Amino acid sequence: MSDEIPNPEQDLSAQNLPGQRGQHGEEVRVQRGMFGADDGGDTSGYGGLVRSVRLPGPATRPYGGWFDEVADELEGALEEQGLVPGNAIEKTVVDRDELTFHIEREHLVRVARTLRDDPALRFELCTGVSGVHYPGDKGRELHAVYHLRSLTHGRLIRLEVSAPDADPHIPSLVAVYPTNDWHERETYDFFGIVFDGHPALTRIMMPDDWQGHPQRKDYPLGGIAVEYKGAQIPAPDQRRSYS
């Protein structure tokens, strides 16, 4: 018999550790430095840091908890509509206790409507769409991420859709979830994702004639030189490096 006395606080801490992705999944880039600066502009002191940036890979059954129930019901409902689930769902990811369905963009509206209307799913609310830009994810550099909440069943899932820089079009979900109206406009403004079918897709943050989309990773940092008490403060990407 072990003489070690259990430490409840240690056990609790172990349970609360964040999930680790490890080395599985697809590598989209290798980041050097704390903030990925590659032009000498990293002043954090971590210029020698090198790490691999990976997207989580597809999960395998069983997913655990109610995740399997939702996946089964969604796949069954799509089959009833004559759609092969594998043609609509690119992959299913379970990462950090979150369930994400990666959806082919041409089937996004049908999948979203199914998730909203099916009695066993009932994801009535979409809390918005966010854009993400992965320049190293060739052929699918732009990602749109949707958070869907079921008020009936008390569940939260995500949908993720990708599009290439060369063809940044994704169907609008405003007809299914009207709350996405302004979220799609903001994502279009900052990332350049064109939501086809949106009733009035316009810029809402930047001027109408603004060139480019400021939250893309390849957008220049830029900035405006400032004069303060006679001293000139250069734009952020023109300041000297301390590394």
Side-chain angles (χ1 to χ4, degrees), residues 170-211:
I170 291 175
S172 171
L173 285 187
V174 172
V176 182
Y177 294 110
T179 51
N180 269 16
D181 189 348
W182 289 90
H183 291 273
E184 288 185 1
R185 295 185 193 187
E186 182 179 23
T187 303
Y188 160 71
D189 196 349
F190 283 150
F191 291 91
I193 298 176
V194 180
F195 293 94
D196 295 330
H198 189 285
L201 192 63
T202 58
R203 288 188 181 272
I204 61 172
M205 303 296 288
M206 310 303 293
D208 290 340
D209 59 350
W210 190 267
Q211 298 296 315

Side-chain angles (χ1 to χ4, degrees), residues 140-183:
R140 50 183 188 181
E141 292 87 356
L142 294 168
H143 291 232
V145 183
Y146 305 81
H147 292 79
L148 305 185
R149 183 175 293 278
S150 171
L151 305 179
T152 299
H153 302 293
R155 295 168 174 173
L156 178 67
I157 64 171
R158 301 195 307 172
L159 300 183
E160 188 163 340
V161 185
S162 63
D165 269 336
D167 182 26
H169 291 264
I170 291 175
S172 171
L173 285 187
V174 172
V176 182
Y177 294 110
T179 51
N180 269 16
D181 189 348
W182 289 90
H183 291 273

Side-chain angles (χ1 to χ4, degrees), residues 3-199:
D3 294 332
E4 295 183 2
I5 300 175
N7 186 338
E9 293 184 0
Q10 184 179 21
D11 293 342
L12 181 60
S13 297
Q15 293 174 6
N16 290 335
L17 287 175
Q20 301 297 316
R21 291 183 181 176
Q23 295 301 313
H24 74 285
E26 181 181 356
E27 181 179 274
V28 293
R29 68 186 174 94
V30 176
Q31 177 169 310
R32 302 180 183 278
M34 178 64 78
F35 302 104
D38 55 6
D39 56 359
D42 188 345
T43 61
S44 66
Y46 290 91
L49 182 67
V50 179
R51 70 182 183 91
S52 174
V53 178
R54 294 176 177 270
L55 300 180
T60 56
R61 300 272 194 162
Y63 302 141
W66 52 264
F67 291 176
D68 291 277
E69 179 184 343
V70 169
D72 290 340
E73 185 61 35
L74 175 59
E75 292 174 6
L78 294 177
E79 288 178 343
E80 291 176 0
Q81 300 173 46
L83 179 60
V84 177
N87 292 340
I89 304 173
E90 178 186 344
K91 64 179 178 180
T92 301
V93 173
V94 176
D95 186 61
R96 292 178 170 85
D97 294 328
E98 290 185 332
L99 175 64
T100 304
F101 295 108
H102 289 249
I103 307 300
E104 298 289 348
R105 55 179 171 170
E106 60 267 27
H107 298 297
L108 174 62
V109 174
R110 178 182 291 192
V111 170
R113 186 173 287 113
T114 301
L115 286 165
R116 184 195 67 181
D117 295 343
D118 189 283
L121 296 169
R122 294 296 292 156
F123 286 91
E124 307 99 329
L125 175 65
C126 179
T127 58
V129 56
S130 301
V132 190
H133 185 214
Y134 296 105
D137 194 11
K138 300 303 180 184
R140 50 183 188 181
E141 292 87 356
L142 294 168
H143 291 232
V145 183
Y146 305 81
H147 292 79
L148 305 185
R149 183 175 293 278
S150 171
L151 305 179
T152 299
H153 302 293
R155 295 168 174 173
L156 178 67
I157 64 171
R158 301 195 307 172
L159 300 183
E160 188 163 340
V161 185
S162 63
D165 269 336
D167 182 26
H169 291 264
I170 291 175
S172 171
L173 285 187
V174 172
V176 182
Y177 294 110
T179 51
N180 269 16
D181 189 348
W182 289 90
H183 291 273
E184 288 185 1
R185 295 185 193 187
E186 182 179 23
T187 303
Y188 160 71
D189 196 349
F190 283 150
F191 291 91
I193 298 176
V194 180
F195 293 94
D196 295 330
H198 189 285

